[in-house]
Amino acid sequence: MPLDLSKIKAGAKSALIEPRDIFASLGHRPWPRLRVEQDQVLKGWFERRHERDLVIKQNTGGGKTVVGLLVAQSSLSEGVGPAAYVVPDTYLVDQVVDEANALGIPVTTDPRGADFISGLAILVCTFEKVVNGRSIFGLAGDSNARRIGTVVVDDAHAALAAARKQFTVNVPAEHPAYKKALSIFGDELMRQSYKNGTAILSGDRATPLRIPFWAWSKKHSEVTAEIEASAGNSALKGIFFSWPLLADYLGLAVATISDRLLQLRTPCPPIQEIPAFHLATRRIYLTATLADDGVLVTDLAADPESVRRPITPERATDLGDRLIMAPGALNPNLTSDRIRRLAWEFAMGDRTGDGERDAEPVNVVVLVPSDRASELWSPYAAETLHVGDMKAVVDRMAAGEHLGIVVLVNKYDGVDLPHDACRLLVVDGVPTPLDPGEQREAGALIGSDTYRIRKVQRLEQGMGRGIRDAEDHCAVLLLGSDLALSLVDREDLRLFSPATRAQIDLSKEVAAQIAGEGLDSVREVLSLFLGRDEDWRVASSRATAGVEYDPDGHVSAVSEARRKAWDLAAAGDPAAAATTLRNALDQVDSAERGWRLEEVAAYQHEVSPEDAQKTIKAAKQANTSVLMPALPLAPRPVRGHQQQAVACVDYLSEHFDNGTQLRLGVQSMLDDLAFSPEDDRVDAAEAAVKRLGQLLGFDATRPEKEQGKGPDGCWGLTPHRSAVIELKTGTSRDDSDIIKSETDQLSGAVSWNSAANPDTTECVPVLLARSARLHKLASAPVGSRVVTPDDLATLKADVQAFADEIACDRGWERSSAVSAALASHCLTADQVIQQHSRKVEAAKTAK
């Protein structure tokens, strides 16, 4: 009789717990064996599997999903279940389920299903499904709270953003609690920043402000009572899912307010409120690029000692082949518009740009941070996609279909674009912080190591989308001066992963051969790469051969101390919290030290308000973006230098190592100095005015930011002449005439200057505005000058030309060369305002 093999029991299989043995036993595995890198990290995990928190690092395309699924299945087989595989968004849920089905590993998307609860299948869900204030797994103190034995967190860097979101209460401006906050804390907001406080109270666009912790601690209950009254309203998603997680920690919350939101967020997420995650026996974090592993400690309370010992393959050669270029760093004439056109021509198979197809068309994927940025690609894009609608199109590309240019909006991680799905990847900017707290933090930490790490990490995530295994290849183009700067700034370069850094170094050698040349040279290099030129392939293999992963997980003393401090404060010991965090701040840069001292002071206030004010004063001296102390600070006099060129040389020599870095750095600064109504651009423009003044050799400050009152900017042009500067770059009125409140503000700036700078004999009032014409009710101070968009364009052109000139032959190090360049481009103290602004115009008269 014929044999029925289906009756043979696979009892031995169920006993397998070694992940590599499990893979070998799978009947439907799509490949006969694991990759070497997968084999190595699975062996490393299995040997250390009894540690609660383990980080597995592999290069993009290294097969992390398979590793994560096998780790989860191993844990189930060992009885450490149930097991959940969590991802940042719903797109990735479908991707992981497809991968599991291909392997033959049982999974489910139903957290209530018997298969998950009994450990017969791995739950695949979003991180938010587990971590939210209405979690079906229950909260701390809930007698019915459910446990998870093993949690695998895929794309851990993206999951961290989801965690912060879930532990944040966002109260819209229409909510009664928002209005209550304005009525209670309005005076405090205006004392922190008269301009922004006034704007927030009026409902106008403004830079977010923190409600001072000393005021919040005393009166927050009047506001939070209003929030609690509506916390059960599921339509208010920014409150409904987060309120239960923060309700017990409101006195310690950071309250940040903008013209649109009141935001409450604790210094570290109280992750202990989610026992399913917090008490899991095993927590495994899968990541490609975490330059700062400390966020796993601060945000998810991972064990710092385990995180400092990541599990990696023995070599970092599991990365696909990439050419990484920033055309703007090669030649300033290679504008983003020209590169967009080039990308479209390559997508159509026209690599010479003559209008004729001369090569195989390729799929080009473009990563942009926002819908606004995607509009610049609309003439060329075949598809513009968001997280919710991209799967079907990405599947078509992965299956080999040619679409042309596909734009992905704000999706820099978790998208697999293997082989012909993407041969040319364009990164056109990286996302900027959008919520009030993130905006404020980004402004405070700009220039710090923390800021650099976040930017580089986001960039590296994006650059990895087009390579999915070691045999894959993809050319990468970076648009914009800020991204180009990351390829030449040694402080940024050190933050890339070792394998990516090796690819950047090789690409820079090629780029050096075409520096200063035109678009045809870029076409030639791209064509050689995409044509798989043998010389390139040999050079590329040599560049990455022997490259190893960084053996250390980077958990700073500050990251570890912040988590310890929060846990102490949450447990009722704010004094120990303050001491713990303060003791960890000695070795950090000034910007971060000041920012973290604000956190220390908030803890101190709970036990000694007087000591807290001393600390916040020290914080303000280290970082001007932190809270203004309760007692007003004396204004710092602004006094111009006797020799502008010498001061200019000192600034440039301190900030730039080479001519390319100087030129790109200046261009990046000028990009920030723009007329734009977007929330994150206003503060950036004000910061750029200060940096521009310093770069030109002036004594430049931001009085309103640094002291809570005064103009947006002040330039000490000479020892006895200064300029007070007010920016209206964020206005979006239909009528662009200068209104009375704006001229009143400029008059107030002149008065401030008289008091703050008594040695100044001449003060020039300057307004950056869309029009130089006054409204009929407005009256400008005598001698006022207006920088319109046209004037600003001229100024930016002259500054860029100045930078280009002194970038040659290290001219920025010689005061004679700098002095001549300042004069030739009308940037001297007596010319810079006169030549790049205009007189105010009288109001139009009624006919």
Side-chain angles (χ1 to χ4, degrees), residues 22-246:
I22 293 174
F23 178 83
S25 73
L26 297 174
H28 301 288
R29 61 184 185 273
W31 334 279
R33 62 185 62 83
L34 291 165
R35 300 178 194 170
V36 173
E37 298 80 16
Q38 293 171 320
D39 188 277
Q40 290 170 349
V41 296
L42 286 170
K43 179 177 183 293
W45 173 82
F46 190 70
E47 291 172 350
R48 294 175 55 191
R49 68 189 186 279
H50 298 302
E51 294 180 44
R52 183 161 174 258
D53 291 298
L54 289 174
V55 177
I56 296 177
K57 285 190 177 185
Q58 288 181 265
N59 282 321
T60 298
K64 293 190 300 296
T65 303
V66 172
V67 167
L69 288 168
L70 288 171
V71 162
Q73 184 60 56
S74 168
S75 295
L76 284 182
S77 298
E78 197 174 3
V80 188
Y85 189 113
V86 300
V87 296
D89 55 52
T90 54
Y91 172 83
L92 283 172
V93 169
D94 294 337
Q95 190 169 287
V96 173
V97 168
D98 290 345
E99 189 98 45
N101 290 337
L103 287 168
I105 292 177
V107 295
T108 179
T109 58
D110 182 7
R112 294 184 175 87
D115 285 349
F116 163 63
I117 295 171
S118 63
L120 295 176
I122 300 163
L123 173 67
V124 182
C125 66
T126 63
F127 190 82
E128 293 176 347
K129 178 70 74 172
V130 176
V131 179
N132 73 77
R134 309 286 174 173
S135 174
I136 63 171
F137 295 95
L139 303 185
D142 184 348
S143 59
N144 296 316
R146 295 161 55 187
R147 295 283 297 273
I148 299 178
T150 300
V151 181
V152 178
V153 183
D154 199 356
D155 276 323
H157 42 266
L160 292 167
R164 283 189 288 272
K165 177 182 175 183
Q166 291 306 104
F167 287 93
T168 301
V169 171
N170 287 315
V171 182
E174 301 78 27
H175 195 283
Y178 180 92
K179 297 176 175 59
K180 176 73 77 173
L182 291 185
S183 68
I184 294 173
F185 302 112
D187 289 344
E188 286 285 356
L189 294 174
M190 291 180 66
R191 214 186 60 75
Q192 287 295 314
S193 168
Y194 181 82
K195 184 188 75 170
N196 289 304
T198 301
I200 290 172
L201 289 170
S202 302
D204 296 332
R205 190 177 302 276
T207 300
L209 297 174
R210 178 177 181 177
I211 297 173
F213 55 77
W214 54 90
W216 178 257
S217 177
K218 184 177 181 180
K219 298 181 179 179
H220 71 83
S221 60
E222 298 178 51
V223 175
T224 54
E226 295 276 7
I227 304 175
E228 185 174 22
S230 62
N233 183 353
S234 59
L236 298 172
K237 298 186 183 300
I239 299 173
F240 181 76
F241 289 103
S242 303
W243 178 258
L245 298 176
L246 260 66

Side-chain angles (χ1 to χ4, degrees), residues 163 243 275 497 648:
W243 178 258
S497 65
C648 184

Side-chain angles (χ1 to χ4, degrees), residues 292-462:
D292 175 17
D293 303 275
V295 290
L296 295 173
V297 177
T298 55
D299 287 16
L300 300 181
D303 178 70
E305 294 309 314
S306 292
V307 174
R308 287 189 174 104
R309 299 168 54 229
I311 298 167
T312 69
E314 294 178 8
R315 290 287 186 272
T317 53
D318 55 337
L319 190 65
D321 189 15
R322 287 183 298 189
L323 168 75
I324 302 171
M325 294 176 61
L330 303 175
N331 186 333
N333 293 321
L334 299 180
T335 62
S336 294
D337 287 340
R338 298 182 69 188
I339 301 304
R340 291 186 184 100
R341 175 76 185 183
L342 175 145
W344 178 78
E345 289 166 346
F346 268 68
M348 296 299 105
D350 175 15
R351 296 186 182 177
T352 61
D354 61 1
E356 300 292 332
R357 175 174 165 175
D358 49 56
E360 193 68 23
V362 296
N363 279 324
V364 178
V365 174
V366 181
L367 306 183
V368 297
S370 64
D371 287 314
R372 184 173 180 270
S374 73
E375 293 171 3
L376 298 171
W377 288 90
S378 58
Y380 309 110
E383 300 278 356
T384 298
L385 307 171
H386 300 74
V387 170
D389 59 16
M390 68 174 57
K391 186 178 188 307
V393 176
V394 171
D395 286 349
R396 288 163 56 195
M397 297 166 68
E401 183 177 345
H402 175 256
L403 295 178
I405 289 183
V406 175
V407 178
L408 305 184
V409 180
N410 198 18
K411 186 60 178 169
Y412 288 68
D413 47 48
V415 181
D416 290 345
L417 300 165
H419 302 282
D420 288 340
C422 177
R423 290 304 185 195
L424 176 58
L425 178 75
V426 182
V427 184
D428 190 0
V430 292
T432 54
L434 296 178
D435 76 42
E438 290 172 344
Q439 283 185 54
R440 184 170 178 266
E441 183 179 31
L445 293 179
I446 190 167
S448 69
D449 268 1
T450 298
Y451 183 88
R452 289 178 181 274
I453 286 168
R454 291 175 184 175
K455 181 185 73 170
V456 169
Q457 182 172 301
R458 202 71 163 135
L459 176 57
E460 184 158 6
Q461 289 167 9

Side-chain angles (χ1 to χ4, degrees), residues 681-702:
R681 299 301 299 276
V682 176
D683 190 64
E686 293 177 7
V689 166
K690 177 180 176 178
R691 296 203 307 276
L692 175 58
Q694 293 172 319
L695 182 140
L696 295 177
F698 306 135
D699 182 9
T701 65
R702 296 178 65 186

Side-chain angles (χ1 to χ4, degrees), residues 572-750:
D573 193 352
T579 300
T580 298
L581 182 51
R582 182 191 281 277
N583 289 343
L585 300 179
D586 291 340
Q587 303 302 316
V588 300
D589 56 65
S590 178
E592 178 149 10
R593 185 170 188 277
W595 183 246
R596 299 306 173 200
L597 279 174
E598 182 181 282
E599 200 169 313
V600 171
Y603 292 139
Q604 276 184 310
H605 179 77
E606 299 300 307
V607 289
S608 176
E610 182 179 350
D611 287 344
Q613 286 303 312
K614 292 177 182 178
T615 298
I616 203 65
K617 186 175 181 179
K620 191 70 174 177
Q621 292 169 344
N623 186 326
T624 59
S625 294
V626 304
L627 284 168
M628 195 71 57
L631 295 176
L633 295 171
R636 179 179 80 79
V638 180
R639 185 176 175 83
H641 305 287
Q642 287 281 5
Q643 295 182 310
Q644 180 186 352
V646 173
C648 184
V649 166
D650 290 343
Y651 180 87
L652 295 170
S653 299
E654 180 183 353
H655 287 82
F656 303 110
D657 296 323
N658 56 65
T660 301
Q661 185 185 2
L662 186 154
R663 183 171 55 77
L664 290 172
V666 169
Q667 186 177 330
S668 177
M669 174 195 67
L670 295 176
D671 287 344
D672 286 338
L673 185 51
F675 282 87
S676 173
E678 294 185 35
D679 287 348
D680 60 320
R681 299 301 299 276
V682 176
D683 190 64
E686 293 177 7
V689 166
K690 177 180 176 178
R691 296 203 307 276
L692 175 58
Q694 293 172 319
L695 182 140
L696 295 177
F698 306 135
D699 182 9
T701 65
R702 296 178 65 186
E704 200 277 335
K705 181 84 169 181
E706 296 162 6
Q707 300 155 23
K709 58 183 178 180
D712 295 325
C714 182
W715 287 0
L717 301 170
T718 70
H720 301 290
R721 184 167 178 260
S722 62
V724 291
I725 306 166
E726 295 288 1
L727 278 71
K728 298 302 171 188
T729 52
T731 58
S732 55
R733 301 189 304 270
D734 292 335
D735 182 355
S736 60
D737 286 359
I738 300 169
I739 59 177
K740 184 177 184 300
S741 63
E742 293 170 343
T743 56
D744 288 349
Q745 192 174 356
L746 198 57
S747 297
V750 173

Side-chain angles (χ1 to χ4, degrees), residues 515-593:
E517 297 186 19
L519 208 56
D520 287 344
S521 295
V522 177
R523 295 181 188 279
E524 181 182 0
V525 172
L526 287 174
S527 295
L528 284 172
F529 175 83
L530 294 175
R532 309 311 294 139
D533 178 82
E534 186 60 27
D535 288 339
W536 167 270
R537 295 176 70 175
V538 171
S540 180
S541 297
R542 287 176 178 170
T544 55
V547 175
E548 297 182 351
Y549 283 87
D550 188 339
D552 300 320
H554 297 282
V555 181
S556 69
V558 174
S559 296
E560 186 174 357
R562 288 191 66 218
R563 185 74 230 184
K564 288 180 179 177
W566 165 252
D567 289 341
L568 286 165
D573 193 352
T579 300
T580 298
L581 182 51
R582 182 191 281 277
N583 289 343
L585 300 179
D586 291 340
Q587 303 302 316
V588 300
D589 56 65
S590 178
E592 178 149 10
R593 185 170 188 277

